[in-house]
Each structure stands twice: as C-alpha cells, then as structure tokens.
Amino acid sequence: MRHPPARRDVLQGGRRVRRLLAAGLLCLGPQAALARTIYVTPAGSGPGYDADGRMVSPQTQAFSTEAMRDLRPGDVVQLLADSPDPAVAALYARRIVLSGLGQRDAPPILIKGLGGRTRLVGRTVDEVRGCPMPEDDVEQACGGLATALAAPQASDLLGALTTPASTGERARSRRSRLAIPIGRAGRLAEAACLDIDRGDGVTIEDLTFDGCWLAAVRAIGSRRVTLRRSLVIGSSYGLAARGSRERPADSLVVEDVTWVQDASGYDAASLRRDGPFRCADGRARALGCPGLLWRSIPWGAGHHGAYDHFNGALLGGTDVRGPIIFRRNTVASAYNGVRLKAAACEDRKASDLSPETCPYNQDVWIYDNLFAYVRDNPVELETWATDVRIYRNRIVNAHAWFSFDDMAGGPIYIYGNRGWFDDVPATALPDRSPFPPPCTRHPVLKPAADGAFDPKLDRRYDFARARWLPVGVESVDPAGEVSWMDPLDQICEASLQGRVVKLALPPRDSPPGTYRYAARGAIYLFNNSWYLRSPVTGIGPAANLRHWNNALLFCEDGVPGYKRELCRPRPETFDASTCGRGVVGGEGLARYLGETGTLPFFDCFRWLPVDASGRDLPALASAFDYDVSSNGFPIALKREHGIESHGRAGNPGFAAPERGDFRLIPGALAASSECAVTEASEHELVCAETTGSQAFAGAFGPDGRLYAGPASARFRPPE
C-alpha cells in the first residue's frame, strides 16, 4: 500500500525519531533504568523497620557483598532495623565489598542507614593482628608463613599514610614516617567494615560504625566517595582512601560525621552523633572526654608503639586528587583528624615537585570542624599539598594543630580558626577526675639500644608483615638492619608542649635536595584567635609563613583560666641538645620569649630554614606583622629580622577564651587593624595597609561576626 507523500514524510520522520530514541537509550545504558530502593536487614528475608519501629517492608534482602553486585547508578540501599523495638539496634556484622560500581558523572549509589539503629560492627584490633603481644622479648609472627610471604613490601601497601624507613628509602623525620598501613593483603584483607574498590559515585550516610578496625570505610582507586551524617566509634580511619596514576582517587567528601576513636573516657552506650557527650565519670560535655589515649598512653606508644593502631585519622588519604572536602565534622579523643599524603611523589627531588609531577592533595577544604582531645595533629599534610583552605575550625586540647613537616607545595590558607585548651595530656592535674589515670611507665634497660623501654608500651606490631617486633624496635629493613625507637620519644613527658604550626628541619644524613618546604606558595595564617600554653611554632624554623592579623592570648598569671600546673612552660628549662637532636641545624635552635611573660612565643626555633647541607634558605623567609599578642613579641627577632613592626602587645580582649568564646569585648585591642588581607594575584595574598576600614585582628570582628576570609571567589566554600 502506497501512502501519499505527506504521510510518507510523517511516517519516515517518526521512524527516525524512534531510531534516535533507541540509540540514545543504548548510549545511556544502565542509567536509563529507573533507580531502585533496596531494603536490607542483617539476615534478610524478614520484615524491616524504621527508626521508630514502623514496618517499612515485609520482605528484605540480606546486606551482603553478593546482593550489592548488581547495583546501578542512583540506586538506594536502605539499611533497616530487624526489630520493631526502637531501643534495639540492628547489628550488621558482615564485611561488605562494593567492587567496580558506578559510572563517571552518573548519579551516585546511596548506602543509607537509620543512624544509631543500624550499626556496622567490625573486628577488634586483636582479631586483626591474629595473636596477642608475646611475653618474651623476641620477634613473633602472627599470620603464619603464608601470610608473611603474601604481604607486600610496605611501600606497596594501599592506603599507607607514610612509608616506613625499612623500605630503604631516604631518611625522614622520626615523627612523620610511621603510620598504620591500610592495605588488602594478608591479615589486612578484611580490616574494614565497608570496602569500595574501583567505584565511581558512592555515598554512605546515616550509619553507625562500631569497632571497625582498622577502617570503617576503605576506598581504593575510587572516585566521588562521600561519608556523611554518621557516627564512627573506634577505627584507625573513618575513611581511608588511596589512588594511583592508573586508578585515580578524587572528589572525596567527609561531612557531618562524629568520630570518637578512643571511647574509653565515655559512657559508650550513650554516644550519639549529635551529642552531647557523657563521660565515664558521669559529666556531660559538649567538647568530648579525655580517655586513655589522652591521659594515660605516652605520645610515642600511640605513634609507633603498642597503641599505634590509633595513629590514623577520620580522613586518611594517600595519592588522592582534589577536590577533597572535610567539613562540619567532630573529631573527639583521637590521634589525628585529617592526614593526606602524596606517597607517589616521595622519591622525587624537592625541586622536581609541581602540580604536574605530583597531582595530589590539590583543592582541599577543611572547615567548620571541631577537633577535641587530639593527641597529635588535627590537620597533617605530607609530601605535597597545594591550594588548601583550613578555616572556621575549633580546636580544643590538641598537640600540634597544623602539621606541614617535610611538605612541599603551597599555598595553604589558615584563617578564622579558634584554638584553646583546658587540659594537658599524659598529666595528673589537681582538679581532674582520677579516671583515666595519668601516664606511668616501667622501663627496662636494653643495652643494645642504649636506652630503656617499657615492654608493654614500647613494642610495635608490624601490620605489613603480621608480626610483633622485639621491644624497642621501630622497624627492620629487608637486610635485617634494626632501627631503634628514640627512648626520649617514649617517655610520658614527650610531646606535652605542643604548638600551633608544626614545621621541622632535615634529618641528619638526608641526601641533598630531598627535604621539602612549602616553596610553591606561602603558608598563610591570618585572622585566627588563640588561647595558648604552647608556642606558635617550635622544633624547627619559620619556613615561608605569612602570619598576619592573628590575636594571641598566652595563659600567664592573671589571665582567665590560669592555673600554674596547667599553664607552666614544658619543659621549664630549655635544652637545645635535647630538642634539636637528630636534625640539621639543631645546634642553633633557641627559646624566644615575648616582651613579657614566661611562655615562649617560639621554642626550639630558628628563624630561617636550612637545606640538608645546613645552608640557610633566605628565599623562604617568613613575615610576621599586625598581630596582637598578650606577651608581645621576641625582642631579638624584632631587632634582627624586623618582625611585627606593626604588631601590638596587649590583651586582645576575648570574652571568655578559657571556654572557647573568642568574641571581643567592647574596646578590645583586636577590634581594629591597619592590615586588610587581600588577594594580589592567583595564589598570593598581601597584607595591605589600610585606615578606616573594617579590618581587625583575630577570628571575630567587633560586630561579633566570624571572619569570612578574603573577598574572592577562590575562598567561597564549595556546595
């Protein structure tokens, strides 16, 4: 049958449309299918209930790796309770692996829980190790010969935040070279509650992770991974991520998460993501509770001893590209907050590092977080980082707040933060609860190491090789050469003083050109408010810092919150031979007091950084100006290096700094400044002299508003 020409055109046009639609659907592939909601319970088959006990689905699937294999972009996996009783939590004890899921730029897969009603339960540290600490002072393997042979060399461990010296690489600072490895070989294969392998677009939210050692979530070679609105109790890491050039990891988000790593100081049954925290002694506190990690365990034992399973972070990233967003989280009673390392760039000369040769840790945002009772570093960036913004965070009772030891790159922008203290780690304070008990040690002399070690504290489990090392041994290289712990790092008095910014000097015997400083861009610290018992920086130099418009109140006699045992200098007597041991230029380190007071402004400090040969690096000289300090500034450095020519000595005028209230009282000295921090060019800020402007020192303006940062699109927070 022949149709008229006009009708033939219509029919042919319709066929063309249908062919185009079919082709489009083929191109869309799985994305064309409607997203599904999959209801799961721990065992499956039975009904599932919501947080209030209402039935959501009469039939559910078991939450298992097998059930998750066919997930498509946009799918929602809703974890439900398996009991109608709102007081009973569903315990999800299976390890889940999400492998090869998601598509680039497609809607993410959502793994969603019911908060405290859905708890992912992991393995204990002892179960991960596979054997208890031996009584005898000998090396003891825990995983058998097959495990030892299957384990990769430490440099190949996925997610390792730092590389042990036993790999034969160049020497690094003792304080930055060790951390818990996150890999998937040997006994580490199941050391996570939720594994994401080669995923692209996975969001985890509204869950409770309880005792998921070593990681709550582990993401290898994965993009667009988000952890949000969850509670993590225990774990070395909340989210541990690793990428590579072949399988990049990027676009990580951790937001609105509460992490209590050491729950020993808490009423654990009452822990909730939104708080408040109820401590083991019955007190309710909004800012967390001190536990064994803070009060009883020496810094060295947590860093590289029997308790080094704490040496992780809520976000631990190795070779991760940006953007990386860490916001509105609470990190309480933990060893670190954020640790980001560019391990793939470790072997490059410092002068060879660039955004092209080392495309990691770029475009990092860390803001609106609370860090409380952090035994080491709230923020630690290693090897390389660039375009990092750290702002509007609260830091209370932490050791070294911003750590950039052996880090190249820059710029780093630190502004609008508030930091204070009301406690000291590892110390018995007169007005504190007897629990947890203060740090104590029982060292035994070990002649081979020329020092004394505590057999229960100074002993390291090598997670890479599934073995306990002998007492006092930090690492053993492939040739069998032993590296001993530094006995002074292990004592209870180690790392009590702390500092705002952690910078360092090259270790002795470092090959030329290998030690890293932030040379691409400066480290900018401006408009922050601090209540301090510790120096601004120490055990190193001021290396390419721009320190402007900060307001500092030192805890001296007569200041609100002052108590001698809380605020006294640590150590009270300066010893350059101790503080500068093991580093190039250590013999020139000194203590610098302000114009008044007993607390050092800088301690164990030199003005200029040096290279591995001990030569000064004047190109990395710092600038300090327009700050307000209750103790004034070091007279010798003002005279010799011209620091703080516009700085002002006096009380900044905080409302209640001992309680973390840094708003300004009427007539406060910090309420005005003649410096406006502005963007001069891409990456570069200047402290421009101004009169009659709204500039001020510290984090709060006289109107009570928190400093928002420079007026530039580069400082607008991401969505």
PDB file of all heavy atoms in Angstrom, residues 249-272:
ATOM      1  N   ALA A 249      42.098   8.442  42.497  1.00  0.00           N
ATOM      2  CA  ALA A 249      41.066   8.665  43.502  1.00  0.00           C
ATOM      3  C   ALA A 249      40.899  10.164  43.644  1.00  0.00           C
ATOM      4  O   ALA A 249      41.878  10.896  43.788  1.00  0.00           O
ATOM      5  CB  ALA A 249      41.465   8.029  44.830  1.00  0.00           C
ATOM      6  N   ASP A 250      39.679  10.635  43.544  1.00  0.00           N
ATOM      7  CA  ASP A 250      39.441  12.069  43.674  1.00  0.00           C
ATOM      8  C   ASP A 250      38.033  12.314  44.177  1.00  0.00           C
ATOM      9  O   ASP A 250      37.227  11.395  44.309  1.00  0.00           O
ATOM     10  CB  ASP A 250      39.682  12.800  42.349  1.00  0.00           C
ATOM     11  CG  ASP A 250      38.742  12.366  41.243  1.00  0.00           C
ATOM     12  OD1 ASP A 250      37.526  12.535  41.388  1.00  0.00           O
ATOM     13  OD2 ASP A 250      39.220  11.858  40.210  1.00  0.00           O
ATOM     14  N   SER A 251      37.748  13.570  44.465  1.00  0.00           N
ATOM     15  CA  SER A 251      36.407  14.018  44.850  1.00  0.00           C
ATOM     16  C   SER A 251      35.905  13.270  46.083  1.00  0.00           C
ATOM     17  O   SER A 251      34.874  12.598  46.057  1.00  0.00           O
ATOM     18  CB  SER A 251      35.428  13.850  43.686  1.00  0.00           C
ATOM     19  OG  SER A 251      35.905  14.510  42.534  1.00  0.00           O
ATOM     20  N   LEU A 252      36.650  13.401  47.182  1.00  0.00           N
ATOM     21  CA  LEU A 252      36.260  12.809  48.452  1.00  0.00           C
ATOM     22  C   LEU A 252      35.555  13.848  49.309  1.00  0.00           C
ATOM     23  O   LEU A 252      35.963  15.018  49.348  1.00  0.00           O
ATOM     24  CB  LEU A 252      37.474  12.283  49.212  1.00  0.00           C
ATOM     25  CG  LEU A 252      38.332  11.213  48.539  1.00  0.00           C
ATOM     26  CD1 LEU A 252      39.422  10.762  49.502  1.00  0.00           C
ATOM     27  CD2 LEU A 252      37.493  10.029  48.086  1.00  0.00           C
ATOM     28  N   VAL A 253      34.507  13.424  50.011  1.00  0.00           N
ATOM     29  CA  VAL A 253      33.784  14.304  50.921  1.00  0.00           C
ATOM     30  C   VAL A 253      33.542  13.555  52.225  1.00  0.00           C
ATOM     31  O   VAL A 253      33.038  12.427  52.221  1.00  0.00           O
ATOM     32  CB  VAL A 253      32.434  14.761  50.335  1.00  0.00           C
ATOM     33  CG1 VAL A 253      31.697  15.653  51.334  1.00  0.00           C
ATOM     34  CG2 VAL A 253      32.629  15.487  49.013  1.00  0.00           C
ATOM     35  N   VAL A 254      33.921  14.176  53.350  1.00  0.00           N
ATOM     36  CA  VAL A 254      33.543  13.700  54.674  1.00  0.00           C
ATOM     37  C   VAL A 254      32.864  14.868  55.369  1.00  0.00           C
ATOM     38  O   VAL A 254      33.488  15.912  55.589  1.00  0.00           O
ATOM     39  CB  VAL A 254      34.763  13.221  55.486  1.00  0.00           C
ATOM     40  CG1 VAL A 254      34.334  12.775  56.885  1.00  0.00           C
ATOM     41  CG2 VAL A 254      35.474  12.078  54.768  1.00  0.00           C
ATOM     42  N   GLU A 255      31.580  14.719  55.705  1.00  0.00           N
ATOM     43  CA  GLU A 255      30.846  15.847  56.261  1.00  0.00           C
ATOM     44  C   GLU A 255      29.821  15.375  57.297  1.00  0.00           C
ATOM     45  O   GLU A 255      29.230  14.305  57.179  1.00  0.00           O
ATOM     46  CB  GLU A 255      30.136  16.638  55.151  1.00  0.00           C
ATOM     47  CG  GLU A 255      29.148  15.843  54.323  1.00  0.00           C
ATOM     48  CD  GLU A 255      28.608  16.609  53.129  1.00  0.00           C
ATOM     49  OE1 GLU A 255      29.092  17.719  52.861  1.00  0.00           O
ATOM     50  OE2 GLU A 255      27.695  16.088  52.461  1.00  0.00           O
ATOM     51  N   ASP A 256      29.684  16.187  58.346  1.00  0.00           N
ATOM     52  CA  ASP A 256      28.692  15.949  59.402  1.00  0.00           C
ATOM     53  C   ASP A 256      28.877  14.584  60.068  1.00  0.00           C
ATOM     54  O   ASP A 256      27.904  13.930  60.449  1.00  0.00           O
ATOM     55  CB  ASP A 256      27.274  16.083  58.839  1.00  0.00           C
ATOM     56  CG  ASP A 256      27.021  17.451  58.237  1.00  0.00           C
ATOM     57  OD1 ASP A 256      27.197  18.445  58.953  1.00  0.00           O
ATOM     58  OD2 ASP A 256      26.680  17.526  57.038  1.00  0.00           O
ATOM     59  N   VAL A 257      30.127  14.152  60.206  1.00  0.00           N
ATOM     60  CA  VAL A 257      30.460  12.879  60.842  1.00  0.00           C
ATOM     61  C   VAL A 257      31.024  13.157  62.233  1.00  0.00           C
ATOM     62  O   VAL A 257      31.796  14.097  62.427  1.00  0.00           O
ATOM     63  CB  VAL A 257      31.477  12.088  59.999  1.00  0.00           C
ATOM     64  CG1 VAL A 257      31.951  10.841  60.736  1.00  0.00           C
ATOM     65  CG2 VAL A 257      30.879  11.714  58.650  1.00  0.00           C
ATOM     66  N   THR A 258      30.638  12.341  63.204  1.00  0.00           N
ATOM     67  CA  THR A 258      31.242  12.369  64.534  1.00  0.00           C
ATOM     68  C   THR A 258      32.092  11.119  64.699  1.00  0.00           C
ATOM     69  O   THR A 258      31.617  10.005  64.452  1.00  0.00           O
ATOM     70  CB  THR A 258      30.171  12.423  65.632  1.00  0.00           C
ATOM     71  OG1 THR A 258      29.466  13.672  65.537  1.00  0.00           O
ATOM     72  CG2 THR A 258      30.794  12.315  67.012  1.00  0.00           C
ATOM     73  N   TRP A 259      33.345  11.324  65.086  1.00  0.00           N
ATOM     74  CA  TRP A 259      34.272  10.215  65.277  1.00  0.00           C
ATOM     75  C   TRP A 259      34.828  10.263  66.690  1.00  0.00           C
ATOM     76  O   TRP A 259      35.482  11.243  67.067  1.00  0.00           O
ATOM     77  CB  TRP A 259      35.417  10.301  64.273  1.00  0.00           C
ATOM     78  CG  TRP A 259      36.424   9.196  64.347  1.00  0.00           C
ATOM     79  CD1 TRP A 259      36.189   7.869  64.552  1.00  0.00           C
ATOM     80  CD2 TRP A 259      37.845   9.319  64.202  1.00  0.00           C
ATOM     81  NE1 TRP A 259      37.362   7.150  64.537  1.00  0.00           N
ATOM     82  CE2 TRP A 259      38.395   8.020  64.311  1.00  0.00           C
ATOM     83  CE3 TRP A 259      38.697  10.393  63.964  1.00  0.00           C
ATOM     84  CZ2 TRP A 259      39.759   7.775  64.215  1.00  0.00           C
ATOM     85  CZ3 TRP A 259      40.064  10.156  63.865  1.00  0.00           C
ATOM     86  CH2 TRP A 259      40.589   8.872  63.985  1.00  0.00           C
ATOM     87  N   VAL A 260      34.559   9.229  67.471  1.00  0.00           N
ATOM     88  CA  VAL A 260      35.172   9.043  68.784  1.00  0.00           C
ATOM     89  C   VAL A 260      36.077   7.833  68.651  1.00  0.00           C
ATOM     90  O   VAL A 260      35.626   6.687  68.692  1.00  0.00           O
ATOM     91  CB  VAL A 260      34.110   8.835  69.878  1.00  0.00           C
ATOM     92  CG1 VAL A 260      34.781   8.590  71.224  1.00  0.00           C
ATOM     93  CG2 VAL A 260      33.182  10.045  69.955  1.00  0.00           C
ATOM     94  N   GLN A 261      37.362   8.084  68.468  1.00  0.00           N
ATOM     95  CA  GLN A 261      38.283   6.970  68.226  1.00  0.00           C
ATOM     96  C   GLN A 261      38.555   6.180  69.494  1.00  0.00           C
ATOM     97  O   GLN A 261      38.517   4.956  69.498  1.00  0.00           O
ATOM     98  CB  GLN A 261      39.592   7.487  67.630  1.00  0.00           C
ATOM     99  CG  GLN A 261      40.530   6.368  67.212  1.00  0.00           C
ATOM    100  CD  GLN A 261      41.873   6.859  66.718  1.00  0.00           C
ATOM    101  OE1 GLN A 261      42.403   7.847  67.215  1.00  0.00           O
ATOM    102  NE2 GLN A 261      42.425   6.179  65.728  1.00  0.00           N
ATOM    103  N   ASP A 262      38.839   6.878  70.591  1.00  0.00           N
ATOM    104  CA  ASP A 262      39.100   6.231  71.868  1.00  0.00           C
ATOM    105  C   ASP A 262      37.892   6.478  72.772  1.00  0.00           C
ATOM    106  O   ASP A 262      37.725   7.566  73.323  1.00  0.00           O
ATOM    107  CB  ASP A 262      40.370   6.796  72.498  1.00  0.00           C
ATOM    108  CG  ASP A 262      40.584   6.316  73.923  1.00  0.00           C
ATOM    109  OD1 ASP A 262      40.046   5.248  74.270  1.00  0.00           O
ATOM    110  OD2 ASP A 262      41.270   7.016  74.686  1.00  0.00           O
ATOM    111  N   ALA A 263      37.046   5.477  72.909  1.00  0.00           N
ATOM    112  CA  ALA A 263      35.804   5.633  73.679  1.00  0.00           C
ATOM    113  C   ALA A 263      35.983   5.299  75.150  1.00  0.00           C
ATOM    114  O   ALA A 263      34.993   5.253  75.888  1.00  0.00           O
ATOM    115  CB  ALA A 263      34.716   4.748  73.070  1.00  0.00           C
ATOM    116  N   SER A 264      37.244   5.099  75.618  1.00  0.00           N
ATOM    117  CA  SER A 264      37.458   4.671  76.999  1.00  0.00           C
ATOM    118  C   SER A 264      37.020   5.716  78.018  1.00  0.00           C
ATOM    119  O   SER A 264      36.713   5.372  79.162  1.00  0.00           O
ATOM    120  CB  SER A 264      38.939   4.328  77.220  1.00  0.00           C
ATOM    121  OG  SER A 264      39.755   5.472  77.036  1.00  0.00           O
ATOM    122  N   GLY A 265      36.973   6.975  77.650  1.00  0.00           N
ATOM    123  CA  GLY A 265      36.570   8.021  78.575  1.00  0.00           C
ATOM    124  C   GLY A 265      35.094   8.364  78.515  1.00  0.00           C
ATOM    125  O   GLY A 265      34.652   9.319  79.166  1.00  0.00           O
ATOM    126  N   TYR A 266      34.305   7.595  77.766  1.00  0.00           N
ATOM    127  CA  TYR A 266      32.899   7.915  77.521  1.00  0.00           C
ATOM    128  C   TYR A 266      31.979   6.837  78.083  1.00  0.00           C
ATOM    129  O   TYR A 266      32.370   5.677  78.241  1.00  0.00           O
ATOM    130  CB  TYR A 266      32.637   8.026  76.009  1.00  0.00           C
ATOM    131  CG  TYR A 266      33.369   9.145  75.330  1.00  0.00           C
ATOM    132  CD1 TYR A 266      34.730   9.031  75.060  1.00  0.00           C
ATOM    133  CD2 TYR A 266      32.725  10.307  74.964  1.00  0.00           C
ATOM    134  CE1 TYR A 266      35.424  10.053  74.436  1.00  0.00           C
ATOM    135  CE2 TYR A 266      33.401  11.345  74.333  1.00  0.00           C
ATOM    136  CZ  TYR A 266      34.755  11.210  74.080  1.00  0.00           C
ATOM    137  OH  TYR A 266      35.437  12.232  73.462  1.00  0.00           O
ATOM    138  N   ASP A 267      30.745   7.228  78.341  1.00  0.00           N
ATOM    139  CA  ASP A 267      29.669   6.268  78.507  1.00  0.00           C
ATOM    140  C   ASP A 267      29.292   5.833  77.101  1.00  0.00           C
ATOM    141  O   ASP A 267      28.499   6.482  76.420  1.00  0.00           O
ATOM    142  CB  ASP A 267      28.494   6.925  79.226  1.00  0.00           C
ATOM    143  CG  ASP A 267      27.274   6.016  79.327  1.00  0.00           C
ATOM    144  OD1 ASP A 267      27.370   4.840  78.914  1.00  0.00           O
ATOM    145  OD2 ASP A 267      26.218   6.486  79.788  1.00  0.00           O
ATOM    146  N   ALA A 268      29.900   4.747  76.640  1.00  0.00           N
ATOM    147  CA  ALA A 268      29.799   4.367  75.232  1.00  0.00           C
ATOM    148  C   ALA A 268      28.363   4.103  74.809  1.00  0.00           C
ATOM    149  O   ALA A 268      27.986   4.366  73.658  1.00  0.00           O
ATOM    150  CB  ALA A 268      30.665   3.132  74.966  1.00  0.00           C
ATOM    151  N   ALA A 269      27.529   3.607  75.723  1.00  0.00           N
ATOM    152  CA  ALA A 269      26.145   3.290  75.359  1.00  0.00           C
ATOM    153  C   ALA A 269      25.349   4.535  75.016  1.00  0.00           C
ATOM    154  O   ALA A 269      24.331   4.454  74.313  1.00  0.00           O
ATOM    155  CB  ALA A 269      25.469   2.529  76.495  1.00  0.00           C
ATOM    156  N   SER A 270      25.799   5.694  75.484  1.00  0.00           N
ATOM    157  CA  SER A 270      25.044   6.929  75.242  1.00  0.00           C
ATOM    158  C   SER A 270      25.596   7.747  74.084  1.00  0.00           C
ATOM    159  O   SER A 270      25.099   8.849  73.828  1.00  0.00           O
ATOM    160  CB  SER A 270      25.035   7.788  76.511  1.00  0.00           C
ATOM    161  OG  SER A 270      26.348   8.266  76.800  1.00  0.00           O
ATOM    162  N   LEU A 271      26.607   7.246  73.387  1.00  0.00           N
ATOM    163  CA  LEU A 271      27.202   8.016  72.304  1.00  0.00           C
ATOM    164  C   LEU A 271      26.197   8.241  71.181  1.00  0.00           C
ATOM    165  O   LEU A 271      25.559   7.296  70.696  1.00  0.00           O
ATOM    166  CB  LEU A 271      28.438   7.308  71.752  1.00  0.00           C
ATOM    167  CG  LEU A 271      29.732   7.491  72.546  1.00  0.00           C
ATOM    168  CD1 LEU A 271      30.830   6.597  71.997  1.00  0.00           C
ATOM    169  CD2 LEU A 271      30.173   8.947  72.504  1.00  0.00           C
ATOM    170  N   ARG A 272      26.060   9.496  70.772  1.00  0.00           N
ATOM    171  CA  ARG A 272      25.194   9.877  69.673  1.00  0.00           C
ATOM    172  C   ARG A 272      25.964  10.824  68.761  1.00  0.00           C
ATOM    173  O   ARG A 272      26.844  11.555  69.199  1.00  0.00           O
ATOM    174  CB  ARG A 272      23.936  10.594  70.184  1.00  0.00           C
ATOM    175  CG  ARG A 272      23.086   9.782  71.141  1.00  0.00           C
ATOM    176  CD  ARG A 272      22.383   8.629  70.442  1.00  0.00           C
ATOM    177  NE  ARG A 272      21.495   7.914  71.349  1.00  0.00           N
ATOM    178  CZ  ARG A 272      21.867   6.899  72.123  1.00  0.00           C
ATOM    179  NH1 ARG A 272      23.133   6.469  72.085  1.00  0.00           N
ATOM    180  NH2 ARG A 272      21.009   6.301  72.923  1.00  0.00           N
TER     181      ARG A 272
END
